[in-house]
Amino acid sequence: MNALERLHLLQAGDLPVHGGRTLAYVYDGGDAEVDRVGREAVAAYAGSNALDPTAFPSLLTMENELIGFAARLLDAPDTVVGTVTSGGTESILLAVQGARDSRPDIERPTMVIPSTAHAAFHKAAHYFGVRAVAVPVGPDFRADPAAMAAVIDDSTVLVVASAPSYAHGVIDPVSEIAAAASAAGVRCHVDACIGGWVLPYAARLGRPVRKWTFAVEGVTSISVDTHKYAYAPKGTSLLLHRDAALRRPQFFASAAWPGYTMLNQTTQSTRSGGPIAGTWAVVTTIGDGGYLRLAGEVFEAVDRIVDAIAAEPGLRLVVAPDSTLVTFATDDSCDPFTVTDELVSRGWYVQPQLAFEGQPASVHLSVSAATRAHLDDFTVALRESVTAAREAGPVVVDDDVVAFIAALDPAALSDAAFDGLLAASGLVGASADGSLELPSRMAPVNAMLDLASTAMREALLVAFLDRLSRPSTGPAA
Ligand SMILES: *Cc1c(COP(=O)(O)O)cnc(C)c1O
């Protein structure tokens, strides 16, 4: 078997990227020709390096055209500038880093975020020493602008809103939040990583979309992921700033060594041209009219999925979606993690969300345009999954395990203790040859994690990833 044959064999064990049935992690526009163009562009530029725009000017051209396209979508003023990053997390990291470094006078900087803000903001807090002040959202899962305004103070370098939030798919009241930030002279970042490329088209289709773009005064930067609803290959997001002065602290230059003067506007230095060219090729091929049509398709799918959930007595929509993300919860008749496993076993990958701040566990669906072709199948799979979950009964976590986990301080646990916990939780088992085996059904694991503290969830999953990520002796070694 040659390398490519082996690669395809390995890939067969992964989630499908195409087909519209994988409702997290991937986004499918459903056009095989567009996908082919994207793949060819990635391949053609896989060896090119966007580190130096004078050496690879074609990549600079493509980046500037992508920012220009996004600027129109986001109602940006003529002063807008932007950067192509590797993904939503990097765009958010840079927004936080830039905000921090715009205020060197503040010794202990903070940022005010809604409690529903993406975990990438907590990562940025961790990396850059900017404390995140997370403000509880309202009963509609939208940020509470008055509560956020009340905690903006002299240490605040950034205020954040989502359009929409990942977990619930609703748009925060951006106008009020940005006004509060502006009144305090503080930057306001809108995380439109998942909504930025689709909400402008939703508005053009006549759907109700509250204001969230640069048209809102006080919004200083916006992140939008092209590797989500621009249906581009993985590896790009855009970070736009209202003007060049706002972006300036993001640049890094170093002549403090004997090599080339390093000059970067992202966390990466060498940057593959592949994702940039792939994104440019897909955006150019689909074009504005194509995205409008795809938005029509994805919202048709969203509406049908909402109806299918409403028609299931065991399920309830957590909140009416503002965008393309649907979240449902279950009643006592069926377990949400079992419904998840049952949908997965029927070829529908959906994502479980653990209980958080008084809200019960839920199930997340990022709907794609390509999902629309399979809605009858989805409705049947959902009905069957609820029935199967009802018949399977509740997932019972052993009382001793619950008490054990509640009593443990994750910070004080040894590696050996984590080995024991991982085995007891079912997260990892050992197969006959001694290698780790992933669980086939996640419901028992999720039920256990659901009862654990946030610190214990994080520690257990870190230990899990640590055990997975170990050298092996395949053909590459
Ligand atoms: C996906 C997402 C991110 C993070 O993006 P990555 O590309 O996964 O790094 C941030 N915010 C929101 C709202 C998202 O949906």
Side-chain angles (χ1 to χ4, degrees), residues 27 86-92 116-121 123 162-167 191-195 223 225 227-228 234-237 325 364 366:
Y27 306 82
S86 64
T89 298
E90 190 183 24
S91 291
I92 287 167
T116 49
H118 195 278
F121 290 97
K123 187 174 185 175
S162 307
S165 60
Y166 182 86
D191 177 8
C193 280
I194 203 159
S223 50
D225 294 352
H227 65 196
K228 287 176 180 160
K234 283 286 179 272
T236 57
S237 165
L325 317 176
H364 170 105
S366 288

